[in-house]
Amino acid sequence: MSFSTEIKKEIVNRISANKEKGVNTAGFSAFVRTSGTLGVADGKPTFFLVSETETVAEYFTNVFSELFKAELTLTRASMDRMSGRDKLVLLCPPDISYSVLKTLGLLKKGTQEIREGILPSLIKTEACQIAYIQGAFLGSGSCILPKNGTGYHLEIVFDEKQTARDFCKLLNEYEVIARLIRRKETQVVYIKSKEAISDFLSIVGTDNALKKFNARVEERDEANNDNRAKNCMAGNADKTVIASVKQVVAIRKLHEKADFNQMSEELKILARARLQFPTMSLRELAEYLGISKSCLNHRIRKLLKLAEEL
């Protein structure tokens, strides 16, 4: 089961007991916006719904029955070639489609034309706002539980730009910042921030999915911190090797082109030690010679300067 399906099933389990008409209307309106295809048949507006999740299709079939005292018709079930999952297609009875769409706030006032945007009266209360967010995710939402090589991503797809914009504003009311992008003929509201996705899952009430998501975030953060530490150590090791090679080259140059015995005893001891232990860090070399690291650095600078002057 995908993480998106887990979230949707948890949302359904949380809201299935809700019988409040306004809340169910808001949630169903959002579901129609994100899973429905709206059109005109015999001069009347109509629509059908598509869902890949049987639990979601069953839930909204029951909601439709409670709200409108009618039944959605399962017209066909086909397999989506991209996802490999069955697609359930639900058709609204044509004789009541106008009244349904009007009740859901999807028609322009006094017309049979589909309205753009979210009708403000649908989301007057906090309960209705959350129901709308839940319904939208149930319709076309998806969320990736990040793995190696994948980032954080949650999205909800709309077929109309103003509704997608209004949805972004709705999320912003809950301090969840979402972005909007066009993808072919659709408008995609998406979230990339792990903090914002965590907040979204909290808003829609998916406690189990939230725990699973946060556990994965913690696991990835810990792994990233380990990698940063290893890279830092590797970088420091590289610097140590480069510095050591530079010192060895300088000492050999002094051996070849200068009277090595004319150097001070301190520098000769250091030179012999560095040639003997070329991979030692400065700290290890200082401990071996029994001097402080600052003293060692001072003597190394003297050696390098003598070599440069040749």
Side-chain angles (χ1 to χ4, degrees), residues 45-206:
T46 186
F47 67 93
F48 64 86
L49 309 171
V50 178
S51 178
E52 294 180 350
T53 309
E54 188 173 333
T55 304
V56 173
E58 182 180 354
Y59 167 71
F60 279 110
T61 297
N62 293 333
V63 169
F64 184 86
S65 178
E66 291 172 6
L67 288 175
F68 304 108
K69 310 305 178 188
E71 299 294 329
L72 292 171
T73 304
L74 180 65
T75 58
R76 69 178 185 276
S78 59
M79 180 173 287
D80 187 290
R81 288 181 295 176
M82 297 294 291
S83 66
R85 294 190 293 269
D86 287 337
K87 296 172 67 174
L88 305 172
V89 182
L90 304 169
L91 180 66
C92 175
D95 58 322
I96 65 168
S97 59
Y98 172 79
S99 62
V100 169
L101 292 174
K102 183 179 178 181
T103 300
L104 296 179
L106 299 177
L107 295 179
K108 292 180 180 179
K109 188 175 181 179
T111 74
Q112 297 190 34
E113 297 179 26
I114 303 299
R115 68 170 286 125
E116 296 180 348
I118 302 173
L119 186 66
S121 60
L122 275 177
I123 52 173
K124 279 186 174 181
T125 68
E126 182 178 342
C128 290
Q129 291 171 356
I130 292 174
Y132 197 96
I133 295 170
Q134 291 169 328
F137 189 87
L138 291 174
S140 65
S142 62
C143 182
I144 295 174
L145 190 62
K147 300 178 182 178
N148 292 334
T150 63
Y152 301 99
H153 187 83
L154 183 148
E155 70 173 44
I156 299 174
V157 182
F158 293 83
D159 63 0
E160 185 264 307
K161 191 171 186 177
Q162 187 57 53
T163 303
R165 284 177 171 172
D166 288 351
F167 190 76
C168 287
K169 292 178 182 177
L170 176 58
L171 291 179
N172 194 41
E173 292 291 322
Y174 292 87
E175 298 184 353
V176 174
I177 306 302
R179 297 184 181 277
L180 177 61
I181 189 173
R182 180 176 178 177
R183 183 188 296 159
K184 295 183 179 179
E185 300 302 318
T186 63
Q187 303 291 328
V188 181
V189 174
Y190 69 94
I191 304 170
K192 289 285 190 182
S193 160
K194 61 188 177 184
E195 292 83 8
I197 293 175
S198 181
D199 289 343
F200 182 94
L201 296 177
S202 178
I203 290 166
V204 297
T206 53

Side-chain angles (χ1 to χ4, degrees), residues 248-261 263 275 306-307 310:
V248 169
V249 169
I251 292 167
R252 287 177 177 168
K253 184 177 180 182
L254 289 170
H255 266 294
E256 294 171 1
K257 299 185 179 182
D259 189 351
F260 191 78
N261 293 325
M263 292 194 304
L275 290 177
L306 288 173
L310 292 177

